[in-house]
Amino acid sequence: MIQYIANGEHFKEVIERIPNVKKQLWIGTADIKDLYVEDKPLLGVLSNLISRGKEVRLIHAKEPGPNFREDFDKYPLLATGLERVLCPRVHFKIIIFDLQTAYIGSANLTGAGLGMKSPNNRNFEAGILSDEPTLVESAIKQFDSVWRGSHCKTCGRKRYCPDPII
């Protein structure tokens, strides 16, 4: 299955899958803000997954703003259970569900990016949601190469890296 996701569909087709993860959730995004899923902060949903023994990995490019930090602090389990990496070079938007399905697209984890704002205020985004093994494997490899720090030794932006992986 390959499903094209366009404006306004990101939340319904992608984000609403997050609470149903069975084992792993890997999220890669340039920007992340204080989103809400099922009337709960996304961070609360991630904390709930962690409390149920699920692996949650997050790669993002920069420290989020104060609203995100305020929500983060409400869920102490995130400080120890959320596996998190900052890499200022990350610009991909990838969400991998149970290493079986991947979203690959343009939408950051922000209200404007995911179509949660009004039709006149949201971004024009596009992406695909797929369980095709070739696409999922490619997304896993790209995510994992950054996660492991494969690019760190030769990175030309080390001076901008707030928390080097290696």
Side-chain angles (χ1 to χ4, degrees):
M1 166 277 300
I2 298 177
Q3 180 180 354
Y4 180 76
I5 309 289
N7 298 323
E9 297 174 351
H10 283 82
F11 185 79
K12 180 178 181 291
E13 299 297 333
V14 179
I15 300 306
E16 286 186 348
R17 291 173 176 262
I18 290 175
N20 301 317
V21 165
K22 292 176 180 41
K23 294 180 183 175
Q24 296 111 339
L25 176 68
W26 292 3
I27 300 171
T29 184
D31 194 12
I32 186 167
K33 294 190 177 171
D34 57 325
L35 296 178
Y36 282 73
V37 179
E38 299 175 352
D39 298 325
K40 290 174 53 178
L42 172 63
L43 291 170
V45 174
L46 298 182
S47 181
N48 186 33
L49 288 174
I50 293 166
S51 74
R52 294 185 352 235
K54 313 308 178 202
E55 172 189 280
V56 180
R57 291 183 174 179
L58 171 64
I59 300 175
H60 54 105
K62 61 182 181 176
E63 282 294 344
N67 292 339
F68 181 93
R69 187 74 211 178
E70 188 176 312
D71 277 347
F72 189 92
D73 291 342
K74 291 177 185 173
Y75 302 97
L77 188 56
L78 295 175
T80 57
L82 177 64
E83 299 179 53
R84 190 170 78 122
V85 166
L86 274 114
C87 175
R89 291 181 59 195
V90 166
H91 201 261
F92 57 68
K93 286 73 174 184
I94 297 173
I95 302 176
I96 301 168
F97 303 91
D98 294 316
L99 304 178
Q100 300 293 313
T101 304
Y103 164 78
I104 305 163
S106 65
N108 281 307
L109 288 181
T110 65
L114 295 170
M116 296 167 64
K117 292 193 172 193
S118 76
N120 297 328
N121 292 330
R122 64 179 169 230
N123 297 344
F124 301 122
E125 306 284 1
I128 59 168
L129 182 66
S130 178
D131 62 2
E132 292 293 322
T134 311
L135 285 171
V136 174
E137 185 63 29
S138 294
I140 289 169
K141 283 181 181 177
Q142 183 177 16
F143 186 101
D144 198 47
S145 73
V146 174
W147 186 261
R148 290 181 289 108
S150 297
H151 309 283
C152 292
K153 288 182 181 177
T154 58
C155 181
R157 301 198 39 91
K158 284 184 185 182
R159 67 176 177 232
Y160 302 105
C161 192
D163 188 18
I165 300 166
I166 60 168

